[in-house]
Amino acid sequence: MDVPDFYEDDWDDDIWPQEPRTTYAEAIARLTSGAASRTDVKLEWNGKRGPREDARLAFLDEDGTETLARRISSAEQAITLDNIVRDAHPMPGRHALWYPQEDLIVAHLVGDYDDLITTLSRRLARLRPGTRTPIDSPLGRDVLGELASRGVLVTTDPAAAPSAPARTLRLKTASMELGTLYRRGYQHASWVAVELRGFRTSDVLDAEQVLADYGTSYLHEVARSSGVSLRLWDPSYRLTRGMTSCSDGKAPFPVRKYDPIPAALYAAGNAADRDPLERYLKFYQVLEYYMPRAADDLMKKQGVLKIEKAVTPYPTGVNDSLRAERNKLAAVIDDAVTEVQITGFLRGSHVLKTLNDQQVIRGVRTLATDPSGNPTPGRNYRQDLSERIYDIRCRIVHVKESDGGKNSDPLLPYGQEARDLGADIAVIRFLAERVLRRWAESLAHSPGRQSARPGQSQ
């Protein structure tokens, strides 16, 4: 059988020539050309390759100080960074880029991506209440496709003049440029970014202010309307001074009956996925629960019948009345834990070093140490901890606008101080455990065994 002519010849790859692959040196040469047109960019390369030899790109402020620097490990990175150098201005404090020619601002967002995927999937399909959408499911991939293409939750300025481009904001998948420049610890494809267009910003400082003002307001509306928590990046979002669990993972047979309400609060505070401020307050509420009981015990010891007549276990001559919550907290700690137990907890751990540092949590009582960094002999750390715990509690709870008074500097979620609460959470968790034990009852789990009186722990 004759074969048609168009089947006779082999496929000729040469008629579809591939683009030549750019070498590392060629990509750096192009980047050098782009960097030469800017005074706020510095590129260094000695012609060698290696972890400490690859080309280095740095962005500078007006004084010539480096604000952001990156080693370039591949030709692909060099090409992406060249696009940034030619078209954009970084805003490192916000993990953002400003494109003046496009009148565009893009910024990396942090927050609950899983909730975002689930919320957006409900716009595409009817889901049962409580159903979550895995990011790698078909519906999850549809959402990612929508994020990568036209974006979602698009909002446009209704007051824009007909002849002028409208100001718009939307959520999108972070661009390759954004992911490459701020790559540490992330993959750009897993990022979500906010995009602002048409705001006519005059310079990078103006762009950063517009991002902070309009981006924050937009993300608040997203949270209010959808319940999704997203926020702009801030330099203080870092994890430091974290605590590792000292538990051996074993659950002993129960011998104590704990009060269910503070036990539930303690369990909530133990949830590692909670905000650090929430965890701290949950453990504080365990102590707060027993304030009336500790106050009654202290009144009996002092031989008074009215709380107005009772004083803190650590009187200073100023505001010593037991009516004050600060002094009731001192009564709880004094009743539930001994000085030996506190000193033993602090000795040999990094907790005391952190609580001794005035720069970790500002405006609260710090704990003194001896020259070697260990607990000072004879020091009453129960009083110090009582003051510190209450000071932190006030900085979390009280956020009234003021004229610079004691509570004018609230401890905010997602900030550096909140991320540095690890040592303080460990301390208040330890105290919550001791408090629960102090007022637990013995479980009569064997025949003929008598229960201990309340307040007697095993």
Side-chain angles (χ1 to χ4, degrees), residues 355 363-367 379 383-385 387-388 391:
L355 272 57
V364 302
R365 174 75 68 92
T366 56
L367 273 64
R379 181 81 181 185
Q383 181 178 0
D384 291 334
L385 286 176
E387 292 292 328
R388 182 181 180 91
D391 288 343

Side-chain angles (χ1 to χ4, degrees), residues 134-211:
I135 196 170
D136 58 349
S137 67
L139 188 54
R141 289 192 289 270
D142 286 345
V143 171
L144 292 179
E146 191 174 8
L147 275 167
S149 56
R150 58 181 176 272
V152 298
L153 302 179
V154 182
T155 182
T156 303
D157 182 5
S163 59
R167 298 184 296 178
T168 61
L169 298 97
R170 74 187 73 208
L171 299 181
K172 291 201 69 174
T173 301
S175 64
M176 179 69 76
E177 286 85 0
L178 203 61
T180 299
L181 192 60
Y182 305 110
R183 68 184 185 275
R184 292 182 180 177
Y186 301 94
Q187 295 295 325
H188 80 274
S190 67
W191 283 16
V192 175
V194 61
E195 176 187 286
L196 297 82
R197 283 187 182 272
F199 284 81
R200 301 183 181 181
T201 48
S202 58
D203 55 38
V204 68
L205 295 178
D206 186 28
E208 188 164 359
Q209 189 63 52
V210 165
L211 173 62

Side-chain angles (χ1 to χ4, degrees), residues 21-28 49 72-82:
R21 183 178 179 86
T22 302
T23 66
Y24 183 85
E26 292 170 341
I28 295 300
R49 297 298 311 276
I72 306 171
S73 59
S74 68
E76 289 76 11
Q77 283 187 2
I79 293 171
T80 302
L81 291 172
D82 180 62

Side-chain angles (χ1 to χ4, degrees), residues 318-390:
V318 180
N319 298 325
D320 289 335
S321 173
L322 197 56
R323 289 181 61 87
E325 181 170 335
R326 179 188 297 270
N327 296 330
K328 290 178 182 176
L329 174 63
V332 171
I333 294 174
D334 183 77
D335 200 342
V337 64
T338 66
E339 188 58 37
V340 172
Q341 290 170 332
I342 285 289
T343 302
F345 174 80
L346 295 174
R347 186 180 299 278
S349 73
H350 75 278
V351 170
L352 183 56
K353 179 181 178 181
T354 302
L355 272 57
N356 175 253
D357 189 343
Q358 295 180 354
Q359 303 304 315
V360 178
I361 308 295
R362 301 184 306 274
V364 302
R365 174 75 68 92
T366 56
L367 273 64
T369 66
D370 67 13
S372 64
N374 286 316
T376 304
R379 181 81 181 185
N380 186 359
Y381 285 104
R382 290 182 296 179
Q383 181 178 0
D384 291 334
L385 286 176
S386 175
E387 292 292 328
R388 182 181 180 91
I389 289 168
Y390 191 75

